[in-house]
Amino acid sequence: MKSESASYKAAGVDIVAGYKAVELMKKHVARTKTEGCVDDIGGFGGCFGLNTAGMQEPVLVSGTDGVGTKLKVAMLLNKHDTIGIDAVAMCVNDVICCGAKPLFFLDYIACGKNIPEKIAEIVAGVAEGCVQSGCALIGGETAEHPGMMPEEDYDLAGFTVGIVDKARIIDPSTMKAGDVIIALPSTGVHSNGFSLVRKVFGLTDGAQDRTYPELDKTLFETLLTPTRIYVKAILALLEEIQPKGICHITGGGFYENIPRALPEGLCARIKRADVRVLPIFDIIAREGNVPERDMFNTYNMGVGMTVTVAPADVEKALEILCANGEDAYVLGEVIEGEKGVELW
């Protein structure tokens, strides 16, 4: 029997459009299939079979996040096929900081009006993020919220689960003075600080073509650049080296995030001149008259992730990371002192 409700549609929710969206996204979901997938999309729950071979004490690590007001940039550009990468990145980059390999991902899309092609475009980005991180998209939810948000608006969030052997969980308590902090460059603003971005630039319809000589794309295109996913490079590193700390630099920038991967009594010492700041951050600071301290306490400033290793492991770590697509470089060192960041 065909499922259809004229009354529900009159109230603003088109369940037929929902079914069409699911059909359109199936080809994207299929790209993410991994060995653990045991069910097809469309059921009431996503199923995944765990392979714990070689692990003495497997531990599941979960992470959830959204994309924030970066969505406004996607809406203004009417480009929705990359924002899903950001949703995946914000979750999988967090769980990899524990040393956990992401296994699967689920998304949640709330929209004012379900336009199947648009929803499928969003999910295409989610699927691409899953492919980049080697995890499976095993389910999700699209909710139509008429009267609660404008028809053209939507929100996007996600959830991931990873696995790590308990003995291999990244343990900052092993860190000591003299250990070295390695930077993994970001692709730009990633998915944080967009409320300040929008205040600085006054992003409104009609401003999509704004350019700056420092940028090789328009401002909007630069801001929409997807968050970099570091999973595969870090997993390759973990095969040969046990880092002492891994930090995903998100909202709060250097000052909030780097200390999260430090034990008490140790401080991260970073020379300002050694930070490879991307042009977009110089533009934000200049156009918004934002103090440098605030910039480093809001944005990644060109460093999306840091890895702390013993001095003897630095050369090998850089070699592995660079071989896996990361232009990694030495950012600073760990010193004795109050837990925090010393930027000099």
Side-chain angles (χ1 to χ4, degrees), residues 123-139:
V123 174
V126 175
E128 174 59 26
C130 288
V131 169
Q132 289 184 23
S133 56
C135 68
L137 178 56
I138 64 170

Side-chain angles (χ1 to χ4, degrees), residues 100-148:
K101 171 183 169 55
L103 297 172
F104 57 82
F105 186 86
L106 292 92
D107 60 25
Y108 176 80
I109 304 169
C111 57
K113 181 177 177 61
N114 188 333
I115 303 172
E117 293 78 10
K118 183 176 178 180
I119 298 300
E121 197 176 350
I122 297 167
V123 174
V126 175
E128 174 59 26
C130 288
V131 169
Q132 289 184 23
S133 56
C135 68
L137 178 56
I138 64 170
E141 172 70 11
T142 301
E144 206 167 6
H145 290 168
M148 190 170 181

Side-chain angles (χ1 to χ4, degrees), residues 60 100 106 126 153 193 344:
L60 296 178
L106 292 92
V126 175
D153 279 9
W344 61 286

Side-chain angles (χ1 to χ4, degrees), residues 167-171 237-238 240-245 308-310 313:
R168 294 301 306 277
I169 294 175
I170 305 302
D171 182 9
L237 180 69
L238 292 171
E240 300 189 49
I241 291 173
Q242 180 70 9
K244 299 186 177 186
T308 302
V309 299
D313 290 332

